[in-house]
Amino acid sequence: MGGEWWRKKWVAWAAAAAIFVVLMLVTPAIPQDEDYHDFADQRVLFLGIPNTLNVISNIPFLFVGLAGLILCHYKNYFRLCSQGELWSWTLFYAGVTAVGVGSSYYHLYPNDATLVWDRLPMTIAFTSIVAIFIIERVDDRAGTKSLAPLVIAGALSILYWSFFDDLRPYAIIQFVPCIVIPVMAIVIPPMYTHSSYWLWAAGFYLLAKVEEAADKPIYRWTHDIVSGHTLKHLCAAMVPVFLTLMLAKRTIEPDRVSLLQMWKISWRERGSKDSNTVDVKYDYAAVSTTSEQQ
Protein backbone atom coordinates (compact mmCIF):
# COMPACT_ATOMS: atom_id res chain seq x y z
CA MET A 1 0.00 0.00 0.00
CA GLY A 2 2.79 2.43 0.97
CA GLY A 3 4.81 1.57 -2.14
CA GLU A 4 1.79 2.20 -4.35
CA TRP A 5 1.21 5.61 -2.74
CA TRP A 6 4.84 6.62 -3.27
CA ARG A 7 4.67 5.47 -6.88
CA LYS A 8 1.56 7.59 -7.52
CA LYS A 9 3.21 10.60 -5.88
CA TRP A 10 6.31 10.39 -8.07
CA VAL A 11 4.17 9.85 -11.15
CA ALA A 12 2.21 13.00 -10.30
CA TRP A 13 5.40 15.05 -9.86
CA ALA A 14 6.88 13.62 -13.05
CA ALA A 15 3.69 14.42 -14.97
CA ALA A 16 3.71 17.99 -13.65
CA ALA A 17 7.36 18.42 -14.64
CA ALA A 18 6.70 16.96 -18.10
CA ILE A 19 3.74 19.31 -18.66
CA PHE A 20 5.88 22.28 -17.63
CA VAL A 21 8.68 21.30 -20.02
CA VAL A 22 6.23 20.79 -22.89
CA LEU A 23 4.61 24.18 -22.25
CA MET A 24 8.02 25.85 -22.24
CA LEU A 25 8.92 24.15 -25.54
CA VAL A 26 5.71 24.76 -27.47
CA THR A 27 4.77 28.26 -26.27
CA PRO A 28 6.64 31.45 -27.22
CA ALA A 29 8.35 33.60 -24.61
CA ILE A 30 6.19 36.23 -22.92
CA PRO A 31 8.20 39.43 -22.39
CA GLN A 32 7.13 42.04 -19.86
CA ASP A 33 4.99 44.69 -21.56
CA GLU A 34 6.44 48.08 -20.61
CA ASP A 35 2.98 49.64 -20.94
CA TYR A 36 2.04 47.62 -17.85
CA HIS A 37 3.69 50.33 -15.72
CA ASP A 38 1.53 53.06 -17.25
CA PHE A 39 -1.34 53.01 -14.76
CA ALA A 40 -4.48 55.06 -15.18
CA ASP A 41 -4.32 56.87 -11.83
CA GLN A 42 -0.98 58.63 -11.39
CA ARG A 43 -2.19 61.43 -9.13
CA VAL A 44 -0.26 62.82 -6.18
CA LEU A 45 -3.10 63.37 -3.69
CA PHE A 46 -1.33 64.01 -0.39
CA LEU A 47 2.02 63.87 1.43
CA GLY A 48 3.76 64.04 -1.95
CA ILE A 49 3.16 60.29 -2.53
CA PRO A 50 3.24 59.52 -6.26
CA ASN A 51 0.46 57.24 -7.53
CA THR A 52 -1.13 57.80 -4.14
CA LEU A 53 -4.17 55.49 -4.29
CA ASN A 54 -2.26 52.63 -5.91
CA VAL A 55 0.30 52.90 -3.08
CA ILE A 56 -1.97 53.21 -0.05
CA SER A 57 -4.49 50.61 -1.31
CA ASN A 58 -1.84 48.01 -0.38
CA ILE A 59 -2.12 48.81 3.33
CA PRO A 60 -4.86 46.17 3.92
CA PHE A 61 -2.38 43.44 2.88
CA LEU A 62 -0.01 44.62 5.60
CA PHE A 63 -2.64 44.61 8.36
CA VAL A 64 -4.23 41.28 7.40
CA GLY A 65 -0.84 39.62 6.92
CA LEU A 66 0.46 40.75 10.32
CA ALA A 67 -2.79 39.74 12.04
CA GLY A 68 -2.61 36.31 10.43
CA LEU A 69 1.03 35.83 11.48
CA ILE A 70 0.20 36.70 15.07
CA LEU A 71 -2.86 34.45 15.23
CA CYS A 72 -0.96 31.54 13.67
CA HIS A 73 1.43 31.51 16.62
CA TYR A 74 -0.65 32.96 19.46
CA LYS A 75 -1.84 30.01 21.56
CA ASN A 76 -2.67 28.10 18.34
CA TYR A 77 -5.68 30.40 17.80
CA PHE A 78 -6.41 28.83 14.41
CA ARG A 79 -6.31 25.28 15.88
CA LEU A 80 -3.87 24.02 13.24
CA CYS A 81 -3.36 20.28 13.50
CA SER A 82 0.21 19.83 12.24
CA GLN A 83 3.56 21.55 11.83
CA GLY A 84 3.08 21.41 8.08
CA GLU A 85 -0.10 23.47 8.35
CA LEU A 86 1.54 25.91 10.75
CA TRP A 87 4.53 26.59 8.49
CA SER A 88 2.42 26.75 5.33
CA TRP A 89 0.00 29.28 6.79
CA THR A 90 2.94 31.20 8.30
CA LEU A 91 4.55 31.49 4.89
CA PHE A 92 1.23 32.48 3.35
CA TYR A 93 0.74 35.34 5.81
CA ALA A 94 4.40 36.34 5.50
CA GLY A 95 3.84 36.57 1.73
CA VAL A 96 0.68 38.65 2.23
CA THR A 97 2.53 41.01 4.60
CA ALA A 98 5.39 41.35 2.13
CA VAL A 99 2.90 42.11 -0.67
CA GLY A 100 1.79 45.14 1.36
CA VAL A 101 5.37 46.42 1.45
CA GLY A 102 6.60 45.24 -1.96
CA SER A 103 3.59 46.39 -3.96
CA SER A 104 3.64 49.81 -2.26
CA TYR A 105 7.33 50.15 -3.13
CA TYR A 106 6.65 49.16 -6.74
CA HIS A 107 3.84 51.69 -7.16
CA LEU A 108 6.04 54.46 -5.83
CA TYR A 109 8.47 53.83 -8.71
CA PRO A 110 6.80 51.56 -11.31
CA ASN A 111 9.44 49.75 -13.38
CA ASP A 112 10.69 46.21 -13.99
CA ALA A 113 13.25 46.35 -11.17
CA THR A 114 10.72 47.31 -8.49
CA LEU A 115 8.08 44.97 -9.94
CA VAL A 116 10.23 42.05 -8.76
CA TRP A 117 9.44 43.04 -5.14
CA ASP A 118 5.73 43.11 -5.94
CA ARG A 119 5.60 39.69 -7.60
CA LEU A 120 8.03 37.76 -5.40
CA PRO A 121 5.87 37.84 -2.23
CA MET A 122 2.78 37.01 -4.31
CA THR A 123 4.43 33.79 -5.49
CA ILE A 124 5.21 32.88 -1.87
CA ALA A 125 1.52 33.27 -1.01
CA PHE A 126 0.34 31.34 -4.11
CA THR A 127 2.68 28.40 -3.61
CA SER A 128 2.00 28.19 0.13
CA ILE A 129 -1.71 27.91 -0.60
CA VAL A 130 -1.07 24.98 -2.96
CA ALA A 131 0.89 23.19 -0.20
CA ILE A 132 -1.93 23.90 2.26
CA PHE A 133 -4.44 22.31 -0.09
CA ILE A 134 -2.29 19.20 -0.51
CA ILE A 135 -1.99 18.94 3.29
CA GLU A 136 -5.72 19.36 3.90
CA ARG A 137 -7.17 17.48 0.93
CA VAL A 138 -4.61 14.86 -0.09
CA ASP A 139 -1.95 13.97 2.49
CA ASP A 140 -0.36 15.90 5.36
CA ARG A 141 3.12 14.46 4.85
CA ALA A 142 3.15 15.00 1.08
CA GLY A 143 1.88 18.56 1.45
CA THR A 144 4.46 19.42 4.09
CA LYS A 145 7.29 18.07 1.93
CA SER A 146 5.98 19.95 -1.10
CA LEU A 147 6.05 23.35 0.67
CA ALA A 148 9.75 24.12 0.20
CA PRO A 149 9.95 22.92 -3.46
CA LEU A 150 6.82 24.91 -4.36
CA VAL A 151 8.05 28.13 -2.74
CA ILE A 152 11.48 27.71 -4.36
CA ALA A 153 9.83 27.11 -7.75
CA GLY A 154 7.84 30.33 -7.29
CA ALA A 155 10.97 32.32 -6.45
CA LEU A 156 12.82 30.81 -9.42
CA SER A 157 10.00 31.87 -11.75
CA ILE A 158 10.61 35.48 -10.71
CA LEU A 159 14.36 35.15 -11.15
CA TYR A 160 13.85 33.58 -14.59
CA TRP A 161 11.66 36.50 -15.65
CA SER A 162 14.09 39.12 -14.29
CA PHE A 163 17.06 37.54 -16.13
CA PHE A 164 15.43 36.37 -19.36
CA ASP A 165 12.39 38.70 -19.65
CA ASP A 166 10.08 35.72 -19.98
CA LEU A 167 6.90 35.49 -17.90
CA ARG A 168 5.88 31.94 -18.79
CA PRO A 169 7.01 30.25 -15.54
CA TYR A 170 5.50 33.05 -13.45
CA ALA A 171 2.23 32.82 -15.39
CA ILE A 172 2.06 29.09 -14.63
CA ILE A 173 2.81 29.67 -10.92
CA GLN A 174 0.12 32.36 -10.74
CA PHE A 175 -2.70 30.96 -12.83
CA VAL A 176 -2.54 27.19 -12.25
CA PRO A 177 -3.55 27.59 -8.56
CA CYS A 178 -6.46 29.78 -9.72
CA ILE A 179 -7.84 26.73 -11.55
CA VAL A 180 -6.66 23.88 -9.35
CA ILE A 181 -7.65 25.30 -5.95
CA PRO A 182 -11.35 25.99 -6.69
CA VAL A 183 -11.65 22.57 -8.36
CA MET A 184 -10.03 20.84 -5.37
CA ALA A 185 -12.22 22.86 -2.99
CA ILE A 186 -15.34 21.60 -4.76
CA VAL A 187 -14.41 18.00 -5.56
CA ILE A 188 -12.14 16.74 -2.74
CA PRO A 189 -13.66 16.23 0.74
CA PRO A 190 -12.24 18.77 3.24
CA MET A 191 -10.59 18.12 6.57
CA TYR A 192 -12.30 21.18 8.07
CA THR A 193 -15.69 22.91 8.03
CA HIS A 194 -16.44 26.25 6.28
CA SER A 195 -14.85 25.04 3.05
CA SER A 196 -17.02 27.43 1.01
CA TYR A 197 -14.81 30.32 2.15
CA TRP A 198 -12.21 29.08 -0.35
CA LEU A 199 -14.68 29.79 -3.16
CA TRP A 200 -15.38 33.28 -1.84
CA ALA A 201 -11.64 33.94 -1.80
CA ALA A 202 -11.27 32.59 -5.35
CA GLY A 203 -14.18 34.76 -6.50
CA PHE A 204 -12.61 37.93 -5.11
CA TYR A 205 -9.28 37.07 -6.72
CA LEU A 206 -10.97 36.57 -10.09
CA LEU A 207 -12.73 39.93 -9.67
CA ALA A 208 -9.37 41.52 -8.84
CA LYS A 209 -7.84 40.22 -12.08
CA VAL A 210 -10.78 41.63 -14.08
CA GLU A 211 -10.33 45.02 -12.40
CA GLU A 212 -6.61 44.94 -13.12
CA ALA A 213 -7.28 44.33 -16.82
CA ALA A 214 -9.87 47.15 -16.87
CA ASP A 215 -7.67 49.66 -15.06
CA LYS A 216 -8.18 52.59 -17.45
CA PRO A 217 -11.81 51.92 -18.44
CA ILE A 218 -12.83 51.82 -14.76
CA TYR A 219 -10.98 55.08 -14.17
CA ARG A 220 -12.99 56.67 -17.00
CA TRP A 221 -16.29 55.14 -15.84
CA THR A 222 -15.79 56.52 -12.31
CA HIS A 223 -14.95 59.99 -13.72
CA ASP A 224 -11.30 59.79 -12.59
CA ILE A 225 -12.20 58.97 -8.99
CA VAL A 226 -10.73 55.48 -8.66
CA SER A 227 -8.89 53.20 -11.08
CA GLY A 228 -9.28 49.50 -11.73
CA HIS A 229 -5.82 48.81 -10.30
CA THR A 230 -6.68 50.44 -6.98
CA LEU A 231 -9.87 48.37 -6.78
CA LYS A 232 -7.82 45.31 -7.72
CA HIS A 233 -5.67 45.79 -4.59
CA LEU A 234 -8.74 46.11 -2.37
CA CYS A 235 -10.45 43.02 -3.83
CA ALA A 236 -7.26 40.95 -3.72
CA ALA A 237 -6.87 41.88 -0.04
CA MET A 238 -10.26 40.26 0.57
CA VAL A 239 -8.67 36.88 -0.24
CA PRO A 240 -6.62 36.69 2.99
CA VAL A 241 -9.53 38.30 4.87
CA PHE A 242 -11.88 35.44 3.91
CA LEU A 243 -9.22 32.82 4.59
CA THR A 244 -8.57 34.34 8.02
CA LEU A 245 -12.29 34.25 8.81
CA MET A 246 -12.35 30.63 7.66
CA LEU A 247 -9.44 29.72 9.94
CA ALA A 248 -11.07 31.46 12.91
CA LYS A 249 -14.45 29.73 12.44
CA ARG A 250 -13.65 26.26 11.18
CA THR A 251 -13.50 23.00 13.12
CA ILE A 252 -12.58 19.44 12.21
CA GLU A 253 -15.11 18.04 9.73
CA PRO A 254 -16.53 14.83 11.29
CA ASP A 255 -18.10 13.65 8.03
CA ARG A 256 -15.72 14.48 5.21
CA VAL A 257 -18.12 15.35 2.40
CA SER A 258 -17.06 17.43 -0.60
CA LEU A 259 -18.89 20.61 -1.57
CA LEU A 260 -19.97 18.86 -4.78
CA GLN A 261 -21.60 16.04 -2.79
CA MET A 262 -23.29 18.57 -0.48
CA TRP A 263 -24.67 20.45 -3.47
CA LYS A 264 -25.98 17.23 -5.00
CA ILE A 265 -27.78 16.34 -1.76
CA SER A 266 -29.20 19.87 -1.54
CA TRP A 267 -30.43 19.71 -5.14
CA ARG A 268 -32.08 16.32 -4.52
CA GLU A 269 -33.82 17.57 -1.38
CA ARG A 270 -35.00 20.69 -3.17
CA GLY A 271 -36.28 18.59 -6.05
CA SER A 272 -38.16 16.27 -3.73
CA LYS A 273 -39.73 19.24 -1.87
CA ASP A 274 -40.84 20.75 -5.18
CA SER A 275 -42.41 17.47 -6.29
CA ASN A 276 -44.21 17.09 -2.92
CA THR A 277 -45.58 20.63 -3.27
CA VAL A 278 -46.92 19.80 -6.71
CA ASP A 279 -48.59 16.63 -5.40
CA VAL A 280 -50.26 18.53 -2.54
CA LYS A 281 -51.58 21.21 -4.89
CA TYR A 282 -52.88 18.54 -7.25
CA ASP A 283 -54.68 16.70 -4.42
CA TYR A 284 -56.17 19.96 -3.15
CA ALA A 285 -57.44 20.82 -6.61
CA ALA A 286 -58.99 17.35 -6.95
CA VAL A 287 -60.75 17.66 -3.57
CA SER A 288 -62.06 21.11 -4.42
CA THR A 289 -63.47 19.92 -7.75
CA THR A 290 -65.18 16.94 -6.11
CA SER A 291 -66.75 19.15 -3.44
CA GLU A 292 -68.16 21.57 -6.03
CA GLN A 293 -69.74 18.71 -8.01
CA GLN A 294 -71.47 17.44 -4.89
Side-chain angles (χ1 to χ4, degrees):
M1 190 74 171
E4 180 69 16
W5 183 88
W6 278 102
R7 188 183 67 80
K8 289 181 178 179
K9 188 185 81 164
W10 285 111
V11 167
W13 281 108
I19 291 170
F20 174 77
V21 171
V22 170
L23 287 173
M24 291 295 289
L25 291 175
V26 302
T27 58
I30 306 174
Q32 177 63 55
D33 184 0
E34 290 306 309
D35 289 340
Y36 178 82
H37 308 301
D38 182 27
F39 298 103
D41 187 359
Q42 301 181 19
R43 294 172 294 173
V44 179
L45 296 180
F46 54 83
L47 299 178
I49 301 173
N51 312 306
T52 305
L53 291 184
N54 281 345
V55 171
I56 65 172
S57 57
N58 286 290
I59 292 174
F61 289 108
L62 188 62
F63 284 132
V64 178
L66 288 174
L69 280 172
I70 293 169
L71 294 176
C72 273
H73 294 272
Y74 177 73
K75 297 181 179 179
N76 195 22
Y77 181 82
F78 288 146
R79 300 177 297 278
L80 302 174
C81 294
S82 70
Q83 285 296 309
E85 283 187 283
L86 176 62
W87 286 113
S88 297
W89 281 110
T90 297
L91 272 177
F92 169 74
Y93 281 113
V96 170
T97 304
V99 166
V101 178
S103 185
S104 296
Y105 172 56
Y106 163 64
H107 283 287
L108 285 171
Y109 315 102
N111 58 65
D112 284 358
T114 55
L115 185 56
V116 170
W117 302 107
D118 183 7
R119 287 177 170 167
L120 182 59
M122 282 195 287
T123 64
I124 294 173
F126 292 143
T127 50
S128 299
I129 284 293
V130 175
I132 288 165
F133 251 79
I134 296 173
I135 290 171
E136 291 186 6
R137 309 282 172 139
V138 182
D139 180 78
D140 182 280
R141 187 177 175 187
T144 301
K145 288 189 174 183
S146 70
L147 176 62
L150 285 169
V151 172
I152 291 170
L156 289 176
S157 74
I158 300 298
L159 290 175
Y160 184 87
W161 159 61
S162 64
F163 279 106
F164 300 104
D165 192 23
D166 183 1
L167 287 168
R168 286 178 297 173
Y170 173 72
I172 292 170
I173 291 293
Q174 184 179 25
F175 290 109
V176 167
C178 296
I179 299 170
V180 171
I181 288 175
V183 171
M184 291 177 70
I186 293 170
V187 174
I188 303 178
M191 180 191 298
Y192 298 101
T193 60
H194 294 82
S195 186
S196 60
Y197 278 67
W198 284 107
L199 300 185
W200 282 103
F204 270 98
Y205 186 76
L206 177 60
L207 178 59
K209 299 307 291 183
V210 171
E211 290 166 338
E212 180 181 32
D215 180 35
K216 293 178 180 177
I218 290 174
Y219 196 53
R220 289 196 303 270
W221 297 337
T222 60
H223 302 286
D224 299 353
I225 295 174
V226 65
S227 69
H229 204 87
T230 296
L231 293 177
K232 173 239 180 175
H233 289 161
L234 298 176
C235 276
M238 291 302 296
V239 173
V241 168
F242 270 97
L243 296 184
T244 302
L245 289 173
M246 177 191 72
L247 288 172
K249 291 182 175 185
R250 72 184 190 178
T251 56
I252 295 291
E253 179 65 73
D255 302 316
R256 297 188 64 171
V257 180
S258 70
L259 283 174
L260 182 61
Q261 291 171 306
M262 290 174 62
W263 292 342
K264 286 181 178 179
I265 294 169
S266 176
W267 292 333
R268 285 199 206 101
E269 290 177 350
R270 190 175 303 162
S272 63
K273 285 180 181 178
D274 291 342
S275 63
N276 289 338
T277 303
V278 171
D279 291 342
V280 169
K281 288 182 178 178
Y282 177 79
D283 292 342
Y284 177 77
V287 170
S288 299
T289 303
T290 304
S291 300
E292 289 173 2
Q293 288 175 351
Q294 292 175 353

